[in-house]
Amino acid sequence: MELSVNGRQRRAAQAVKNEPRAEKQPAGTGAAPKRTGSDKADWSQAALAFLREMDRQSMEEERKRLEAKRQKNGELEMLSKSLDVMEKCRKIASRIIKGDKVPPQDEQFLMEADPEGYKLALACRVPKEKPKEWESVLEEEEEDGSGRETAESMESAEAAESAGETTEC
């Protein structure tokens, strides 16, 4: 194996050239030496642009997650309202099927919210000698303090009907 003295000499000369530049600066400035090449600045700008792009992408992903979460909450709220309407319709329909008397506004609500369920309840009605007279399911809701409007209930019932939900006897 051959050792080259020239290679060692070149490296030593380069090290000596770089040392005096660092020593020539005044002792208290603490500033980094400026180089004639702009490689470091170019790399810094490229790195900064890359980091900004990564930050923008992460912010966009977070915004999408939050939007999806809000949409899920809206869907859950809509499904909850639809479930409330379906529960009221079920109570009214079961009272009609048993042959009991329900208030006219309950019958009207059932007819509007679930027309097929209303028809089915009338078809499956079993007559009673002494039918029980029920208070309105809708009034119970208002007394509990939730006070939802029937228009909102009908909208959620229409959404449920459009989803293909039906009641069978």
Side-chain angles (χ1 to χ4, degrees):
M1 178 171 173
E2 260 181 66
L3 294 177
S4 171
V5 178
N6 290 338
R8 283 187 186 173
Q9 288 176 348
R10 275 187 257 147
R11 282 193 299 267
Q14 287 176 355
V16 171
K17 286 181 184 178
N18 289 336
E19 282 181 21
R21 286 184 186 169
E23 292 176 5
K24 288 182 183 177
Q25 283 187 339
T29 61
K34 291 187 177 181
R35 296 186 180 189
T36 56
S38 62
D39 291 340
K40 191 173 187 180
D42 288 342
W43 277 78
S44 295
Q45 292 296 324
L48 183 61
F50 176 75
L51 290 175
R52 284 183 179 160
E53 179 63 23
M54 294 298 290
D55 188 39
R56 185 192 64 77
Q57 288 176 357
S58 66
M59 294 284 280
E60 183 70 21
E61 288 174 8
E62 185 66 24
R63 185 188 63 77
K64 286 180 182 178
R65 277 192 220 118
L66 287 173
E67 189 175 308
K69 197 177 207 181
R70 286 184 193 138
Q71 187 177 9
K72 275 186 180 177
N73 288 342
E75 289 175 2
L76 287 175
E77 186 177 324
M78 185 182 72
L79 289 173
S80 175
K81 288 179 182 179
S82 176
L83 188 62
D84 290 343
V85 170
M86 288 172 55
E87 180 66 21
K88 288 178 193 177
C89 290
R90 185 197 59 79
K91 283 182 182 179
I92 297 168
S94 69
R95 291 174 182 176
I96 291 173
I97 290 171
K98 289 178 186 176
D100 294 336
K101 289 186 179 181
V102 295
Q105 67 261 25
D106 282 8
E107 253 186 81
Q108 184 69 29
F109 176 79
L110 180 61
M111 191 179 344
E112 290 174 0
D114 188 12
E116 292 191 14
Y118 176 72
K119 291 175 191 174
L120 197 58
L122 289 179
C124 296
R125 177 183 277 175
V126 177
K128 269 189 179 177
E129 272 186 43
K130 294 181 181 178
K132 181 177 179 180
E133 290 191 28
W134 289 94
E135 300 243 341
S136 177
V137 172
L138 304 175
E139 290 174 0
E140 289 175 7
E141 181 84 15
E142 292 170 4
E143 288 173 6
D144 292 338
S146 57
R148 294 194 178 115
E149 296 180 11
T150 57
E152 290 177 355
S153 301
M154 290 184 344
E155 288 176 4
S156 61
E158 290 174 3
E161 287 178 8
S162 66
E165 298 175 7
T166 58
T167 310
E168 293 185 18
C169 184

